[in-house]
Amino acid sequence: MIFYKTDEEIELMRQSNLLVCSALAEVASILRPGMTGAEIDKAAETLIRDHGGVPAFKGYRGFPATLCVSLNDQVVHGIPDKNQVFKSGDVVSVDCGVQLNGFYGDSAYTFALGDVPEDVMELLRVTNTSLYKGIEQAVAGKRMGDISFAIQYYVEKENGYGVVRELVGHGIGRELHEAPEVPNYGQRGKGVKLQEGLVIAIEPMVNMGRKEVMTGKDGWTIYAKDRKPSAHYEHSVAVGKTQADILSDHRMIEAAIRQNDHIREVELKALVA
Ligand code: MG
Ligand code: MG
């Protein structure tokens, strides 16, 4: 069942998502080589709790941390701990969820730490841009497949990367994961009709090589099967009458990146083909 949100509920969800992005901006301001997953996780949890929020992932089906931190060939759901030590050249995907005032926020960003090779930077730029290609379609009257197709076409047809199939975006609201599913692959004109009040997390996961993934020994971490790098960007958005309303705010994160010499900016590519 799909729960459509009122304007008041969407404003509450904006607050939840701004807290998520404040936590991701905090990560962006402290991240550097030599730091550990445990350190950025603690910083994010402290910031969230100081603002009255609750980390959404901690305890979710037994997940042990506030952030999912996934390095290089890890796609998503990596567990940040003290043995996860960041080094120059790593791509660090950080996913964060928060519950605040009864509503969830969910957003993710992949950071380029230090000397990331140019071909991997291109993967990040294309993945980040594909998120906005999907968001462009989050308009009342279109269908879910229009979002899915826009992402898949840009990533696979125009850029030759692999879209992960096993994990998808989702509705979000009073639950972290609500109906409907938001696949990053699909057919134009198919699927759930989009209407105002629908709030969804759009989150392309893109592999530089093949699309296939596998689960690691910890039972959580998802890896690219060919062990090539992978990237992940996520926004929570409300479907709008003429354009989507992006509730999470990556500009806060990008402002923090520009202040941190250890992280390279991930520019968007031109949105209009
Ligand atoms: Mg997420
Ligand atoms: Mg999500």
Side-chain angles (χ1 to χ4, degrees), residues 57 68 94-97 105-108 170 176-177 201 203 232 234:
F57 300 165
C68 293
V94 182
D95 195 347
C96 184
D106 189 5
S107 187
H170 49 92
L176 178 60
H177 296 124
E203 48 178 317
H232 177 217
E234 177 179 27

Side-chain angles (χ1 to χ4, degrees), residues 80-102:
D81 64 20
K82 63 181 191 333
N83 300 315
Q84 188 187 49
V85 184
F86 307 128
K87 60 183 193 308
S88 179
D90 282 345
V91 288
V92 185
S93 296
V94 182
D95 195 347
C96 184
V98 158
Q99 189 192 32
L100 179 70
N101 297 319

